[in-house]
Each structure stands twice: as C-alpha cells, then as structure tokens.
Amino acid sequence: MSNLPTRLDRCCPKRSESWLARGALRPTRQRMSLAMLLIGDGHDRHVTAETLFSAVQETGEKVSLATVYNTLRAFCDAGLMQEVTVDGARSYFDTNITDHPHYYWEESGTLTDAPADQLAITQLPEPPAGMAISAVDVIIRLRKKPN
Amino acid sequence: MSNLPTRLDRCCPKRSESWLARGALRPTRQRMSLAMLLIGDGHDRHVTAETLFSAVQETGEKVSLATVYNTLRAFCDAGLMQEVTVDGARSYFDTNITDHPHYYWEESGTLTDAPADQLAITQLPEPPAGMAISAVDVIIRLRKKPN
DNA sequence: GTATATGCAAACCGTTTGCATGGCT
DNA sequence: AGCCATGCAAACGGTTTGCATATAC
C-alpha cells in the first residue's frame, strides 16, 4: 500500500545520514529509522504519518506516533520533503521535492507520482497584481475504469 | 475576505429557491438564508463552513454551525456545489461546479477562481491501466510578490 | 554541559453524529 | 401522519503540544 521497506537492513544508512545532514538534522536513532524507510533505497516515497508509523513498527524499531508527526514536519521544514494536500482528512508527505503532478487513487487513498514529462501546461493564468505564483499543484484523481 | 453579502435583502430569493429545487432540496428558512448568501446575486462563491457561518450570523439569521456543515454537505451531494481541498486544515466549498483552476492565497487562506480560459493543459499523463481520470485539480498557490 | 530530540498523555480543532424537537407536504 | 430538517452537545480522528526524560554534540 505505502510500499515501504519492511526491513531496515535492506536500506542504506550512509545515504540517510547525509540526507539528514543536508537538512542540518541530527542523526538520532528515530530519525535514522524513518529516513532509511523513506529514502534508504533511493526511491521516492509518499506516506502519511500513519503509514510511516506502521512501517517503522514492522521493522521492530520503537518510535512514537508523536515523533513520527514531529519528524515529518521537521523534514518538511528542513526542505527534505514536501507536504501534499489532496484529501483533507490527512496529510501526505513526499520525498520528491521537485514540482511534479500526483495521481490520487480515490479508492485506496493512495498517492503516487505521475510522470512529470507527460504533463504539459502551455499556458498558466497570470498571477493577480502584486502576487507571485509559489507553486502549482496538479492532482490527477483516479477511479476504477467503469467496466 | 470571503466577500459574502452582509444583507439578505440584497439577494434574490427566487434564484435561490430554484437553485435548491434543482437539487431536489426543500426551501427551508436555513437553506434559503445560506443559498441567498451563496448564489443570491448570481456570483460564484468560495466559502468554508466558518466563513459562511459568520456571514449568516451577520445577517441576523439564526442557523447553527452544525446545520451549516450539514447543509454544505447536502449542497455538494445534490451537485449544487463542489468541495475543494487545498489546505488540509479546512474544507472549501465552491458554488462553481465546472472544472476550473483555483488561486489559493496562502497569506489569507482565501480561495478564488482562476480564469479557466488562461489555463492550457495540452498533455496529461495516461491513467494507469484499469484506471480512469475522475478529475484534475489545479491549485495555483499565490504569495506576495517579493518586492 | 548545554541544546535539542523523544515519549506520553492531554489538548486541540475542524467536522460529524445521535437524538430529541420542530417544520413541510 | 410521516418524513425530513434543525439544533445542541457529545463524539470523532488526525494532528499538535506541554512537560519530563533521554540523547547528541
């Protein structure tokens, strides 16, 4: 579902450590556990606090839910992840910090990357006077094909 | 801020009544009050439950907050409005039910329509196998221009 | 040693719901 | 009469916070 690793020993501590360093975050045990799940294998991930909490529990590591929340926020503040709003009910966090579209699978509440190179926005509305565009969020909502 | 009328007598009851009828909703006092604020002057509106609640209080009408929530949901279920998710913290409701992009004013948390004719998406990612696109949400986030 | 991170439980906040009352048709 | 809408307050669920303890540098 969230497609996260189930074992930390398949992840790369070095990559996680330098990732944390890039955000000027101390490599504590909890942060390392979460970071290894998120980027340890070099793949991009989309998680909610709950899916990440479940995943880290499965590895046997002990991290409290509050720390998962606080850590995800810290990762965002440090510019290592970005928050994606699709659902209202919960927050999604994305390790891919480039500007790119998302698929939102309505049936399962899952968020995945959509291929950025297959999206072409050739014209964008002018920002109103005195305003600048800080981001353009594109969410492609998916449902099961009718038949 | 939410730009809603402050007086109901400037609104058009007839338009509101037929709008409710279109959704097969009975024209109760509370629904009429809310509908007149939302579409009584023929303009499209973007509200949260709270902004609409405040607005209806200012007119002197008595409608409970729970009813505002329930009514907005009823309007959406009836296809008269659509919910827009931008913020996570709260839900926005839009009287414009066509597919169109939005400006989200980060500073004030306000949502407005962006001119649909100035947005051109010439290529969209293929939906994954077995999936169909149910909607494409485009949110243009605005911040104050740097200088 | 000092600043920062963690864990727990309680607080928080927007939203929904259960249930009794009131209004349409 | 019967169905539907409303209001209140309590429940809810995801998220944040206060504070005591533990850890990194």
Side-chain angles (χ1 to χ4, degrees), chain B:
Chain B
M1 154 163 237
S2 55
N3 210 30
L4 289 160
T6 52
R7 294 178 50 189
L8 288 185
D9 56 17
R10 301 218 176 104
C11 302
C12 173
K14 285 215 100 63
R15 181 185 291 116
S16 300
E17 194 163 352
S18 63
W19 187 69
L20 291 175
R22 185 143 45 88
L25 294 172
R26 293 181 183 169
T28 66
R29 177 179 62 78
Q30 292 89 336
R31 285 174 180 171
M32 282 295 288
S33 300
L34 299 177
M36 286 198 283
L37 291 175
L38 289 169
I39 56 100
D41 62 0
H43 292 134
D44 286 322
R45 291 271 150 57
H46 301 80
V47 299
T48 65
E50 286 293 344
T51 61
L52 185 56
F53 181 59
S54 305
V56 80
Q57 303 233 81
E58 273 183 40
T59 69
E61 290 292 317
K62 291 215 319 286
V63 181
S64 77
L65 180 57
T67 295
V68 172
Y69 275 105
N70 294 337
T71 302
L72 284 171
R73 195 134 312 280
F75 287 174
C76 285
D77 291 348
L80 299 175
M81 300 184 75
Q82 67 177 125
E83 195 171 353
V84 183
T85 299
V86 276
D87 178 272
R90 75 210 119 212
S91 290
Y92 291 80
F93 297 87
D94 185 355
T95 56
N96 180 349
I97 54 176
T98 67
D99 203 349
H100 64 287
H102 286 104
Y103 287 133
Y104 178 62
W105 307 63
E106 295 179 332
E107 174 193 16
S108 62
T110 310
L111 191 72
T112 60
D113 283 340
D117 59 332
Q118 286 176 32
L119 176 73
I121 297 181
T122 52
Q123 198 193 356
L124 209 55
E126 277 302 303
M131 292 290 140
I133 293 176
S134 75
V136 179
D137 296 348
V138 177
I139 311 286
I140 301 168
R141 292 178 184 269
L142 300 175
R143 54 178 166 73
K144 273 200 290 262
K145 194 176 281 185
N147 60 345

Side-chain angles (χ1 to χ4, degrees), chain A residues 30-38 52 56 63 68 71 75:
Chain A
Q30 291 90 336
R31 285 175 180 172
M32 282 296 288
S33 300
L34 299 176
M36 287 197 284
L37 291 174
L38 290 169
L52 185 57
V56 78
V63 181
V68 173
T71 302
F75 288 175

